[in-house]
Amino acid sequence: MSSTAEAAAEHREEEEAPAGEDEDTGAQVAPIVKLEEVAVSTGEEDEDPILDLKAKLYRFDKDGNQWKERGAGTVKFLKHKVTGKVRLLMRQSKTLKICANHLILPAMTVQEHAGNEKSCVWHARDFADGELKHEFFCIRFASIENCKKFMETFQEVAESQNQEENSDASAAAGLLENLSVEGKTDAEKKDEEKSDNKTAEKESSSGKESKTDSEKKDEEPASSA
């Protein structure tokens, strides 16, 4: 019994004894796998953000006749540095999954959601799911100010896109007009060349006729002699 008790006491003392500090052996362990830094493209590198707000997005489900949540995150208006086109892009906060992705077109309008000053609605042909779909969106903000800011920016962008389309159309019309004028000038040049050729041919033929008459006159005295 005494030996058993002594063994148990020694065991307890070993468990209660403080653990020794880890010794620094100076050894260096090389990583098994070397990870290289990879550049991740967001697709927004060629665009400048116009507006960036936190919000929650919904889409109207026609089959169920109800609003369904698309996600909560950041909604942006992004303007392309080259083309000047502006699109609306929204991603979920945690997963960064795209909730909405469509261009702002001149014919598009946004209006306040009935009965809620923090929400607004609009129609769009959206590409968030990888294919164009006609969607009816509703977005809700934390404050009335943010909702108004979103609506004002939306309308300003739509109007600016309309002006750009008009300027593009005017430029295209001017180009077509120049082409038609140049084409007309070329046609006139060809007509002038044809008329000059005909005039030269007439002068040449008249010269031949006059030469023939003079030759006949020269021959007549000789024959009479």
Side-chain angles (χ1 to χ4, degrees), residues 43-60:
E44 304 173 22
E45 289 77 12
D46 296 330
E47 297 169 305
D48 293 324
I50 299 175
L51 187 68
D52 188 334
L53 296 171
K54 297 287 186 181
K56 183 175 287 188
L57 185 69
Y58 301 84
R59 60 174 291 271
F60 189 74

Side-chain angles (χ1 to χ4, degrees), residues 109-114 119-123 136 147 151 155:
T109 58
V110 62
Q111 58 186 7
E112 182 181 303
H113 191 18
S119 302
C120 55
V121 294
W122 74 96
H123 291 272
F136 185 29
C147 186
M151 293 177 64
Q155 290 300 138

Side-chain angles (χ1 to χ4, degrees), residues 14 23 28 34 44 49 53 55 57 62 64 75 81 83 90 92 97-98 101 132 154 171 185 193 200 212:
E14 291 177 357
E23 296 181 0
Q28 295 181 354
K34 185 179 180 181
E44 304 173 22
L53 296 171
L57 185 69
K62 294 181 181 179
V75 60
K81 297 177 181 178
T83 64
M90 182 170 179
Q92 293 182 6
K97 181 181 178 182
I98 295 176
N101 181 23
L132 281 175
F154 195 112
T185 304
E193 289 176 358
T212 304

Side-chain angles (χ1 to χ4, degrees), residues 74-193:
T74 302
V75 60
K76 301 178 182 179
F77 288 106
L78 301 172
K79 184 174 183 178
H80 199 276
K81 297 177 181 178
V82 178
T83 64
K85 299 293 184 182
V86 180
R87 66 169 173 151
L88 182 150
L89 178 68
M90 182 170 179
R91 296 178 184 269
Q92 293 182 6
S93 297
K94 295 180 180 180
T95 62
L96 298 182
K97 181 181 178 182
I98 295 176
C99 307
N101 181 23
H102 63 78
L103 289 173
I104 303 297
L105 303 177
M108 294 175 63
T109 58
V110 62
Q111 58 186 7
E112 182 181 303
H113 191 18
N116 192 339
E117 295 182 353
K118 297 180 181 179
S119 302
C120 55
V121 294
W122 74 96
H123 291 272
R125 288 180 60 80
D126 189 69
F127 197 73
D129 296 330
E131 60 179 346
L132 281 175
K133 292 182 180 179
H134 184 81
E135 298 283 7
F136 185 29
F137 287 122
C138 175
I139 193 167
R140 188 176 68 191
F141 296 92
S143 66
I144 299 175
E145 290 75 15
N146 283 350
C147 186
K148 288 183 177 180
K149 189 182 297 184
F150 176 85
M151 293 177 64
E152 289 173 358
T153 306
F154 195 112
Q155 290 300 138
E156 288 174 1
V157 169
E159 291 173 3
S160 67
Q161 295 300 301
N162 191 18
Q163 292 174 0
E164 287 186 8
E165 280 199 356
N166 290 337
S167 62
D168 291 343
S170 300
L175 180 60
L176 290 173
E177 184 177 356
N178 291 334
L179 289 174
S180 62
V181 170
E182 289 177 0
K184 184 177 180 181
T185 304
D186 292 339
E188 289 176 351
K189 287 181 179 180
K190 290 181 180 179
D191 292 339
E192 289 177 358
E193 289 176 358

Side-chain angles (χ1 to χ4, degrees), residues 8-28:
E10 292 177 358
H11 183 66
R12 282 197 300 271
E13 289 177 358
E14 291 177 357
E15 289 181 348
E16 293 174 357
E21 295 181 358
D22 294 337
E23 296 181 0
D24 186 7
T25 60
Q28 295 181 354

Side-chain angles (χ1 to χ4, degrees), residues 35-50:
L35 300 177
E36 296 182 358
E37 185 176 350
V38 178
V40 179
S41 175
T42 62
E44 304 173 22
E45 289 77 12
D46 296 330
E47 297 169 305
D48 293 324
I50 299 175

